């Protein structure tokens, strides 16, 4: 069995591509009832990639009913848990077999570098394996009761789940959503981002190939405002799991309240990255570089606010800027490419707008701050990795999520002060600290208002680590055993076993 796949595999680009992708409802590849289609693009080249069946509300209704039927009357959740686990391991195996196709289509549809796609898809494979294992030992409790009474809890799948995913990690976000849900025994309707629908469809196909029964996983590409909304308000949907921007997350939370749906929200971030005076400077530079520029900065946990201690500020920043300038942007399929394209023209303009507004407010761009033209990709959307200094805490570029390769840098002199400044954000997804002082590492980790704290680590998550936000970065956790409970209800079963009947009213 192949453990990992390298980019040696990507020899001829485009061989795996279909001209058209269908949606998947009740185990079938189908067109939209109204025959609607949408174009999907390769953002690195700004050219059309394929057409995709576009779901309408009628299609969403069919998908919900398929999921409902499979949940209410189907076998998936009634199977022995080991059998579900076996199918989930099979999904992982087929993902490895179809790795080249997944990587190729992920890169073509998102513009991310092949290295990023490989890492993320490897993780997605491991997510299915993780939940295949985790669900087997996931069970209820037997509780201490007064004499004559017996109580146990039974974990039951929550039901039909709508899963709405963003464009920045199309495969990985699909895995984060689908794997714990189906492990728990739920049935799902996946709504991929309009910009990147292709690989979620492939994952759904793989689920069926592996033996997931029809109706358990359905995928309906389409507009968030049309199809997403419909799912969020639907009476037959028991839970919504959403990853995306904070404003839309708030809207979903409000709309889900009509039916009191369970919700998991993974939203935006503006994560601090604190470099203390006792840090290993080279490790901090390398890790912080990855922390902001990986996935072209289009990452919820991008460490986009860098705080550097004044005593090392000049030395650190010189190295950081020098390395930023060395990053390669270019053909996403080239192994040497570090940073891929921006997802769309609109997103590029948002990024550039934040940079310009910071400059207008008095900030200084040390490197980047402009759109790039890449040979062979002249119509693509490319933005230079950008470092901004001389910022103040009130600037939009400092307060708001930019979702691009842009870092703002601030100086600090005192641990207490930097913790307060790091926490001065409505977001609370992740935070990174660089220090060789173990006491400080623990002390500061416990004071930061963030769901994920990285200590001397460029990476924020592996299967098994809970991922999710404090404050306006979300509700709930993904990627870990904790997530299983967010796809389950705890039922308390209480019985009386005494030989003497109880007559509480005494009548
Ligand atoms: P987005 O909020 O625009 O869209 C996310 C998804 O929601 C898409 O599928 C979209 O079609 C759908 N949608 C849009 N409007 C909707 C509505 N009214 N009702 C229901 N669904 C609707 O986000 P995006 O631009 O695709 O992704 C970027 C955002 O995602 C960033 O804010 C980023 O921080 C966040 N994100 C968070 C995490 C995390 O784990 N916390 C991970 C990745 C991305
Ligand atoms: Mn968007």
């Amino acid at each position: 069995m192949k453990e990992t796949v390298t980019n040696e595999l990507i020899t001829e680009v485009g061989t795996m591509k279909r001209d058209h992708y269908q949606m998947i409802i009740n185990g079938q590849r189908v067109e939209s009832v109204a025959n609607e289609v949408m174009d999907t693009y390769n953002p690195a080249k700004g050219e059309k990639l394929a057409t995709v069946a576009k779901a309408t509300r009628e299609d969403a209704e069919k998908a919900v009913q398929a999921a409902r039927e499979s949940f209410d009357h189907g076998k998936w959740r009634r199977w022995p848990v080991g059998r579900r686990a076996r199918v989930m391991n099979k999904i992982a195996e087929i993902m490895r077999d179809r790795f080249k196709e997944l990587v190729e289509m992920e890169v073509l549809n998102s513009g991310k570098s092949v290295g990023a796609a490989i890492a993320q898809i490897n993780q997605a494979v491991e997510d299915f394996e993780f939940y295949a294992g985790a669900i087997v030992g996931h069970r209820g409790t037997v509780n201490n009761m007064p004499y004559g009474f017996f109580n146990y809890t039974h974990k039951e799948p929550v039901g039909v789940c709508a899963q709405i995913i963003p464009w920045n990690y199309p495969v990985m976000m699909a895995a984060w959503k689908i794997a714990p849900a189906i492990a728990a025994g739920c049935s799902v309707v996946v709504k991929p981002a309009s910009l990147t629908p292709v690989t979620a469809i492939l994952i759904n196909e793989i689920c069926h190939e592996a033996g997931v029964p029809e109706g358990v996983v359905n995928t309906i590409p389409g507009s968030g405002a049309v199809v997403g909304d419909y799912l969020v308000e639907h009476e037959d949907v028991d839970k919504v799991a959403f990853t995306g921007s904070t404003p839309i997350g708030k809207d979903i939370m409000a709309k889900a309240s009509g039916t009191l749906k369970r919700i998991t929200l993974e939203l935006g971030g503006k994560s601090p990255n604190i470099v203390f005076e006792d840090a290993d400077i080279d490790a901090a530079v390398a890790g912080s570089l990855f922390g902001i520029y990986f996935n072209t900065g289009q990452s919820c946990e991008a460490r986009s606010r860098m705080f550097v201690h004044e005593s090392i500020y000049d030395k650190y920043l010189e190295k950081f800027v020098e390395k930023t300038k060395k990053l390669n942007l270019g053909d996403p399929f080239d192994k040497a490419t570090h940073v891929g394209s921006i997802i769309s023209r609109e997103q590029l303009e948002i990024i550039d707008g934040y940079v310009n507004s910071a400059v207008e407010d008095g900030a200084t761009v040390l490197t980047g701050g402009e759109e790039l033209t890449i040979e062979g990709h002249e119509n693509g959307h490319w933005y230079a990795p950008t470092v901004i200094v001389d910022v103040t805490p009130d600037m939009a570029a400092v307060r708001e999520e930019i979702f691009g390769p842009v870092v703002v840098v601030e100086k600090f002199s005192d641990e207490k002060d930097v913790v307060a400044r790091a926490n001065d954000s409505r977001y609370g997804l992740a935070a990174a600290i660089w220090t060789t002082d173990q006491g400080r590492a623990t002390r500061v980790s416990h004071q930061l208002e963030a769901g994920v704290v990285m200590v001397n680590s460029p990476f924020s998550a592996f299967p098994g680590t809970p991922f999710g936000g404090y404050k306006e970065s979300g509700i709930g956790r993904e990627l870990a055993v904790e997530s299983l409970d967010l796809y389950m209800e705890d039922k308390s079963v209480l019985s009386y076993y005494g030989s003497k009947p109880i007559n509480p009213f005494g009548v």
Side-chain angles (χ1 to χ4, degrees):
M1 191 174 65
K2 295 182 285 287
E3 279 308 319
T4 55
V5 182
T6 67
N7 32 9
E8 311 300 330
L9 267 176
I10 309 291
T11 43
E12 247 179 288
V13 174
T15 55
M16 296 300 197
K17 183 178 100 59
R18 302 174 203 162
D19 293 332
H20 180 67
Y21 290 83
Q22 291 171 299
M23 66 181 95
I24 301 183
I25 297 176
N26 207 24
Q28 305 296 315
R29 291 188 195 175
V30 292
E31 296 301 332
S32 137
V33 172
N35 243 313
E36 288 203 24
V37 292
M38 58 191 190
D39 291 338
T40 193
Y41 291 86
N42 171 356
K45 293 198 169 185
E47 63 190 31
K48 187 175 150 182
L49 181 64
T51 54
V52 180
K54 183 183 185 189
T56 60
R57 293 189 165 196
E58 219 178 321
D59 301 301
E61 180 59 30
K62 289 175 75 178
V64 170
Q65 292 319 324
R68 192 76 256 167
E69 175 64 22
S70 74
F71 186 78
D72 291 344
H73 306 293
K75 52 198 172 184
W76 178 250
R77 75 170 159 125
R78 295 176 178 84
W79 274 355
V81 71
R83 186 163 171 197
R84 281 210 304 272
R86 192 172 74 214
V87 172
M88 292 188 64
N89 278 315
K90 185 78 184 168
I91 294 171
E93 198 182 316
I94 300 173
M95 284 175 76
R96 284 202 174 88
D97 291 342
R98 289 175 65 173
F99 205 87
K100 179 180 182 326
E101 180 185 13
L102 288 170
V103 170
E104 183 171 313
M105 294 316 301
E106 186 84 335
V107 173
L108 285 173
N109 206 187
S110 71
K112 68 179 68 205
S113 68
V114 71
I118 286 171
Q120 291 157 21
I121 297 171
N122 270 317
Q123 201 229 61
V125 173
E126 289 167 11
D127 292 344
F128 281 97
E129 292 170 333
F130 171 77
Y131 283 109
I135 194 63
V136 171
H138 202 70
R139 57 194 175 190
T141 53
V142 175
N143 299 308
N144 294 328
M145 296 297 293
Y147 181 78
F149 291 91
F150 176 61
N151 176 246
Y152 67 95
T153 62
H154 186 222
K155 289 192 181 286
E156 298 180 353
V158 79
V160 171
C161 306
Q163 305 192 304
I164 302 174
I165 59 186
W167 48 258
N168 59 338
Y169 298 114
V171 169
M172 211 171 78
M173 289 299 122
W176 282 25
K177 296 273 178 289
I178 298 170
I182 66 173
C186 293
S187 293
V188 304
V189 178
V190 179
K191 211 293 286 169
S194 317
L195 292 169
T196 55
V198 171
T199 45
I201 295 171
L202 299 180
I203 298 289
N204 199 153
E205 289 179 5
I206 290 169
C207 289
H208 289 132
E209 221 182 301
V212 174
E214 62 186 27
V216 173
V217 182
N218 307 273
T219 302
I220 50 168
S223 144
V226 178
V227 176
D229 254 26
Y230 188 74
L231 295 173
V232 172
E233 293 183 335
H234 203 295
E235 296 192 324
D236 285 334
V237 174
D238 302 293
K239 166 173 175 139
V240 179
F242 170 81
T243 298
S245 56
T246 293
I248 298 193
K250 289 180 181 177
D251 185 46
I252 285 177
M253 188 168 173
K255 286 180 174 142
S257 73
T259 44
L260 215 76
K261 284 184 178 47
R262 282 82 188 106
I263 52 171
T264 303
L265 302 172
E266 298 283 5
L267 309 176
K270 189 76 185 176
S271 300
N273 182 74
I274 308 172
V275 187
F276 286 100
E277 65 274 27
D278 53 33
D280 172 336
I281 292 198
D282 289 332
V285 168
S288 306
L289 209 63
F290 183 84
I292 180 62
Y293 300 128
F294 82 99
N295 217 48
T296 321
Q298 300 172 128
S299 187
C300 50
E301 92 281 23
R303 281 131 266 168
S304 51
R305 288 187 295 148
M306 200 152 72
F307 295 93
V308 186
H309 191 268
E310 58 184 6
S311 67
I312 55 162
Y313 184 85
D314 291 337
K315 184 172 155 199
Y316 174 89
L317 204 60
E318 191 188 328
K319 287 193 182 196
F320 187 85
V321 171
E322 184 196 310
K323 295 218 178 205
T324 297
K325 288 178 178 164
K326 280 193 183 152
L327 294 174
N328 295 324
L329 285 85
D331 181 358
F333 284 101
D334 186 337
K335 273 199 274 200
T337 294
H338 299 113
V339 179
S341 74
I342 304 297
I343 192 71
S344 66
R345 180 67 14 198
E346 295 69 40
Q347 186 64 25
L348 189 143
E349 271 152 23
I350 291 169
I351 296 166
D352 199 43
Y354 275 113
V355 175
N356 293 337
S357 82
V359 172
E360 275 159 32
D361 294 344
T364 309
V365 172
L366 290 184
T367 183
E370 58 185 2
E371 187 175 349
L372 297 176
T373 305
I374 302 290
E375 205 192 317
H377 297 71
E378 287 80 2
N379 295 321
H381 319 302
W382 296 83
Y383 202 81
T386 301
V387 181
I388 304 181
V389 295
D390 301 330
V391 294
T392 52
D394 53 312
M395 289 180 186
V398 175
R399 303 209 71 77
E400 294 169 25
E401 181 180 49
I402 297 178
F403 225 58
V406 179
V407 67
V408 296
V409 194
E410 297 180 55
K411 212 183 268 190
F412 74 93
S413 54
D414 168 68
E415 180 186 302
K416 231 170 129 182
D417 174 54
V418 77
V419 168
R421 283 159 69 188
N423 286 339
D424 178 23
S425 171
R426 63 196 182 96
Y427 292 115
L429 189 55
I433 57 181
W434 300 90
T435 177
T436 51
D437 176 340
Q438 183 59 42
R440 166 174 276 162
T442 307
R443 191 164 61 237
V444 173
S445 298
H446 291 198
Q447 288 168 357
L448 288 167
E449 294 163 359
V452 177
V453 178
M454 288 155 267
V455 180
N456 299 325
S457 167
F459 305 127
S460 60
F462 293 91
T465 57
F467 189 93
Y470 282 25
K471 301 192 277 189
E472 291 190 23
S473 286
I475 296 176
R477 294 293 181 269
E478 293 189 300
L479 200 61
V481 269
E482 286 83 347
S483 325
L484 287 172
D485 284 333
L486 301 175
Y487 284 101
M488 305 189 100
E489 299 279 10
D490 285 297
K491 175 175 286 172
S492 166
V493 180
L494 178 65
S495 51
Y496 172 66
Y497 59 79
S499 55
K500 206 170 146 227
I502 312 173
N503 181 1
F505 276 141
V507 289

